[in-house]
């Protein structure tokens, strides 16, 4: 289990010496599994790139990324893929459901090539019930609303029992009321599954409901504020 994710002087640039574009600049921070962290900032501020670094989808140009006490910066891509498949669940703005598969089958996708100590279909049904789609397990994506499709995507992200859930604008393609419901579902998911959640969002009203806010500008962290401790939440 990786209870922390640490970035040490992480920078990321694209291009060459004549035309460098800095996506991240000297980021040093620690994410704790107990916290629900939101990352905010204008478009192009580096939010998604930071999330990709946390989730090992991209390698830094310099600096180190540690999952727990394990430095994963120079791991082989196959090893990183194995970590992602077991320890990190991803939720995106686009739902990325396969149209030819049912909700149940879509949730099971991350387990297709894994041997796990639980019954895959039973676990998928339990998760679909958790996200309020018990009656939709045989429905195809085209038969589901946008909010329902995102709920399937959340269930899919949880199927491997990950340590961390990384959500990149999960409410971006939804109306405000549905987006609010999805956010509340994420809060419930954290309480039930005890996974760390890091949320990229453009919505400051959602960010204010999380435990910690990181604000970015021009690839740098300009605000890192703990606005709600777990002790306060429990009271």
């Amino acid at each position: 289990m990786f209870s922390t994710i640490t970035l040490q002087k992480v920078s990321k640039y694209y291009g060459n010496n004549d035309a460098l574009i800095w996506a991240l600049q000297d980021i040093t921070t620690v994410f704790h599994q107990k916290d629900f962290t939101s990352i905010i900032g204008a478009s192009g501020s580096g939010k998604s790139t930071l999330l990709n670094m946390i989730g090992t989808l991209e390698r830094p140009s310099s600096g180190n990324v540690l999952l727990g006490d394990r430095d994963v910066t120079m791991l082989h891509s196959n090893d990183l893929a194995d970590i992602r498949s077991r320890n990190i669940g991803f939720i995106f703005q686009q739902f990325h459901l396969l149209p030819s598969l049912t909700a149940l089958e879509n949730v099971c996708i991350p387990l297709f090539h894994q041997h796990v100590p639980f019954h895959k279909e039973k676990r998928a049904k339990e998760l679909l019930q958790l996200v309020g789609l018990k009656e939709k397990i045989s429905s195809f994506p085209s038969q589901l609303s946008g909010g329902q499709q995102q709920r399937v995507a959340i269930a899919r992200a949880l199927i491997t029992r990950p340590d961390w859930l990384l959500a990149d604008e999960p409410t971006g393609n939804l109306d405000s009321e549905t987006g609010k419901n999805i956010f509340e579902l994420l809060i419930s998911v954290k309480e039930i599954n005890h996974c760390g959640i890091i949320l990229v969002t453009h919505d400051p009203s959602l960010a204010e409901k999380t435990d910690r806010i990181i604000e970015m500008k021009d690839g740098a962290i300009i605000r890192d504020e703990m606005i709600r401790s777990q002790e306060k939440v429990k009271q």
Side-chain angles (χ1 to χ4, degrees):
M1 175 182 291
F2 300 122
S3 60
T4 60
I5 298 177
T6 305
L7 277 65
Q8 299 175 334
K9 294 185 178 299
V10 167
S11 294
K12 180 68 176 181
Y13 62 81
Y14 303 96
N16 52 45
N17 292 333
D18 296 325
L20 288 181
I21 299 175
W22 289 90
L24 296 177
Q25 300 189 59
D26 200 29
I27 301 291
T28 295
T29 191
V30 181
F31 297 89
H32 296 275
Q33 193 179 40
K34 64 182 176 61
D35 300 326
F36 190 149
T37 301
S38 56
I39 302 174
I40 63 173
S43 296
S45 60
K47 303 187 302 298
S48 292
T49 303
L50 178 59
L51 198 70
N52 288 345
M53 289 294 164
I54 295 167
T56 74
L57 291 172
E58 292 189 54
R59 296 182 186 271
S61 301
S62 61
N64 300 87
V65 178
L66 283 71
L67 301 186
D69 58 1
R70 184 181 186 186
D71 190 338
V72 300
T73 310
M74 300 306 294
L75 286 183
H76 190 276
S77 57
N78 288 341
D79 295 323
L80 291 177
D82 184 63
I83 288 173
R84 287 192 297 270
S85 68
R86 298 178 185 276
N87 302 101
I88 302 174
F90 295 91
I91 306 169
F92 301 98
Q93 183 173 346
Q94 305 295 332
F95 316 125
H96 298 303
L97 303 181
L98 295 183
S100 61
L101 300 183
T102 65
L104 182 67
E105 292 166 338
N106 266 288
V107 173
C108 287
I109 285 176
L111 300 180
F112 278 173
H113 300 293
Q114 285 197 41
H115 296 286
V116 291
F118 53 84
H119 190 279
K120 297 177 182 180
E121 186 172 305
K122 180 182 178 183
R123 167 75 173 159
K125 288 180 178 179
E126 291 172 347
L127 288 171
L128 285 169
Q129 181 172 356
L130 172 67
V131 301
L133 294 179
K134 180 181 179 181
E135 308 302 324
K136 300 290 185 179
I137 62 173
S138 298
S139 298
F140 292 94
S142 61
Q143 298 171 315
L144 301 174
S145 68
Q148 289 172 333
Q149 290 185 61
Q150 191 61 289
R151 288 172 182 268
V152 174
I154 292 171
R156 180 184 59 196
L158 292 169
I159 189 71
T160 60
R161 296 177 174 164
D163 301 326
W164 292 86
L165 200 59
L166 307 184
D168 193 356
E169 295 285 359
T171 64
N173 278 338
L174 306 173
D175 64 80
S176 58
E177 185 62 28
T178 303
K180 178 182 176 181
N181 292 337
I182 291 297
F183 179 80
E184 291 174 349
L185 174 60
L186 290 176
I187 293 176
S188 298
V189 160
K190 177 166 179 52
E191 293 175 351
I192 295 170
N193 291 268
H194 306 294
C195 55
I197 298 183
I198 303 175
L199 167 76
V200 166
T201 181
H202 275 102
D203 190 338
S205 67
L206 294 184
E208 291 292 339
K209 296 177 182 178
T210 62
D211 303 319
R212 176 187 181 193
I213 296 178
I214 290 177
E215 184 174 359
M216 300 194 67
K217 181 179 180 181
D218 299 329
I221 294 176
I222 61 171
R223 172 191 175 197
D224 188 346
E225 182 181 2
M226 201 72 190
I227 60 175
R228 181 178 293 102
S229 71
Q230 290 302 310
E231 288 74 19
K232 290 181 180 178
V233 171
K234 292 176 182 177
Q235 290 176 358

